[in-house]
Amino acid sequence: MARKVLVLGEVRDGSLRNVSFEAVAAAKTIAEGGEVVGLLIGSSVSALANELIAYGADRVVTVEDEKLAVYTSDGYAQAVLAVVGEEQPEGLVFGHTALGKDLAPKLAAKLNAGLVSDATALEAVGGNIVFTRPIYSGKAFEKKIVTDGILFATIRPNNILPLEKDAARTGEVKAVSVPITDLRTIIKDVVRKTAAGVDLSEAKVIIAGGRGVKSEEGFKPLQELADVLGGAVGASRGACDAEYCDYSLQIGQTGKVVTPDLYIACGISGAIQHLAGMSNSKVIVAINKDPEANIFKVADYGIVGDLFEVVPLLTEEFKKL
Ligand code: FAD
């Protein structure tokens, strides 16, 4: 059953976030041979359209307005609703990012659409799209289908493989003018809490520190290892509560949910609330002094030892590769 599917390309600091390409791949599955239309919203985003096409979008619609330079849910909702009205897609795909989590439910309500949020996999089966999504903090998975209305999904970053980039692909890029009116939210300033570098929610490698790191200074060896591996530093709530690092690094039930290729937990006990945010990582390495620590139950590789000895040794070894 061929469908037209609209995919939101998420722009940050002038670049498309990786999850946008993963969303295009998901949209291809939903489209079942139909058309995948990229959507770019912002103040000067049309230059990114060809990248979305190179990753598999058939064409791209852009909505540009100074009022959309910084994300607001009411501004973006107006833009998406106008394009949905014009394009009449059968499917909509966003990344399950802070933006997607904020915008998708609002739009789903307005469009009377069934929303499958935080999907980690999807497949076309007998005319339906079967989504897989984690439930009970990642302890189980459920399968969902949408039976009527627009098929709307948000996809968890780092779970769906993007299509191979093909810079030779071409497609139409169309600018749509949408009058953005009556913004109830005005963003005066954006203050970034995360350090520059790799975005935690999209990082392929995460080195996370817990209370065992013992101080702000104690995070330095973790940052060095992250730098060598091209990864990001994360933390348990224990480390954040102890003021060793900023809450923007917190991973878990009340922090970020991450699924990197490699997660190295250093001095983290493995409380259920922490596991909720990282247990679906592809490979988990735990470094802990306590051989009975719960984190070893979810770890693929465990190192019983002092993180201040083990982490610098790993850094030295990885530097040699
Ligand atoms: P600890 O449990 O104190 O563990 C420290 C570990 O470090 C120990 O296992 C110790 O053996 C090891 N260690 C100490 N020194 C060293 C060393 N030198 N080398 C190696 N290992 C060492 N927690 C989260 O992480 N994320 C959440 O989102 C979250 N949400 C929560 C929501 C609610 C409603 C509640 C009630 C709690 C939540 N928590 C969350 C808190 C959670 O229950 C734990 O308290 C927290 O995860 C513990 O952090 P930790 O593992 O760093 O600290």
Side-chain angles (χ1 to χ4, degrees):
M1 180 191 172
R3 300 177 182 88
K4 185 199 272 192
V5 184
L6 194 63
V7 188
L8 182 66
E10 206 176 303
V11 182
R12 183 187 279 179
D13 298 334
S15 307
L16 279 163
R17 298 187 66 182
N18 270 342
V19 71
S20 312
F21 310 131
E22 296 165 1
V24 169
K28 281 268 182 209
T29 303
I30 297 169
E32 293 199 75
E35 194 182 28
V36 172
V37 183
L39 171 59
L40 290 170
I41 301 172
S43 69
S44 47
V45 287
S46 49
L48 301 169
N50 285 335
E51 204 178 356
L52 220 45
I53 290 167
Y55 274 97
D58 296 306
R59 59 187 175 89
V60 172
V61 173
T62 63
V63 182
E64 294 195 307
D65 191 305
E66 265 313 304
K67 291 188 198 122
L68 299 169
V70 179
Y71 170 77
T72 58
S73 60
D74 47 349
Y76 266 50
Q78 289 180 41
V80 178
L81 286 172
V83 175
V84 167
E86 193 170 310
E87 293 284 340
Q88 298 289 315
E90 281 105 9
L92 258 181
V93 186
F94 292 3
H96 195 71
T97 57
L99 185 155
K101 283 186 248 184
D102 184 53
L103 186 59
K106 181 178 183 131
L107 286 171
K110 290 218 185 263
L111 294 166
N112 201 19
L115 174 65
V116 181
S117 71
D118 201 16
T120 52
L122 71 163
E123 58 178 333
V125 183
N128 283 315
I129 302 300
V130 182
F131 292 93
T132 304
R133 60 184 300 276
I135 51 171
Y136 302 125
S137 299
K139 283 202 271 324
F141 290 87
E142 68 174 1
K143 304 261 186 199
K144 280 212 154 172
I145 58 169
V146 176
T147 51
D148 64 3
I150 296 184
L151 206 157
F152 194 175
T154 63
I155 58 148
R156 184 182 285 196
N158 268 346
N159 280 267
I160 291 159
L161 266 189
L163 305 175
E164 205 158 307
K165 185 175 182 179
D166 177 1
R169 284 189 94 240
T170 53
E172 182 202 18
V173 181
K174 186 173 86 173
V176 172
S177 171
V178 179
I180 304 297
T181 52
D182 295 333
L183 284 187
R184 277 164 291 167
T185 319
I186 308 287
I187 308 287
K188 297 270 192 193
D189 196 9
V190 177
V191 180
R192 286 273 157 79
K193 283 281 198 144
T194 36
V198 186
D199 181 335
L200 194 54
S201 53
E202 290 196 340
K204 298 282 179 207
V205 176
I206 293 177
I207 317 297
R211 226 182 321 245
V213 167
K214 295 193 174 68
S215 65
E216 193 179 339
E217 189 75 3
F219 266 93
K220 280 201 177 145
L222 276 62
Q223 184 64 59
E224 280 162 22
L225 180 55
D227 291 345
V228 169
L229 293 175
V233 168
S236 71
R237 179 156 149 190
C240 301
D241 284 347
E243 299 184 2
Y244 303 161
C245 61
D246 192 86
Y247 278 103
S248 59
L249 301 190
Q250 186 184 320
I251 291 164
Q253 187 181 312
T254 44
K256 294 194 168 78
V257 175
V258 295
T259 34
D261 293 342
L262 174 63
Y263 189 90
I264 306 185
C266 311
I268 294 178
S269 59
I272 189 84
Q273 297 90 351
H274 186 76
L275 302 187
M278 47 63 73
S279 60
N280 294 127
S281 302
K282 291 177 191 85
V283 175
I284 299 172
V285 178
I287 305 167
N288 199 302
K289 281 204 299 202
D290 175 7
E292 301 298 323
N294 200 47
I295 191 80
F296 288 124
K297 291 189 184 142
V298 295
D300 300 286
Y301 300 94
I303 304 173
V304 178
D306 186 331
L307 72 93
F308 295 106
E309 289 169 19
V310 177
V311 172
L313 285 175
L314 287 176
T315 306
E316 284 316 305
E317 286 304 313
F318 281 121
K319 270 186 191 164
K320 291 178 194 162
L321 298 177

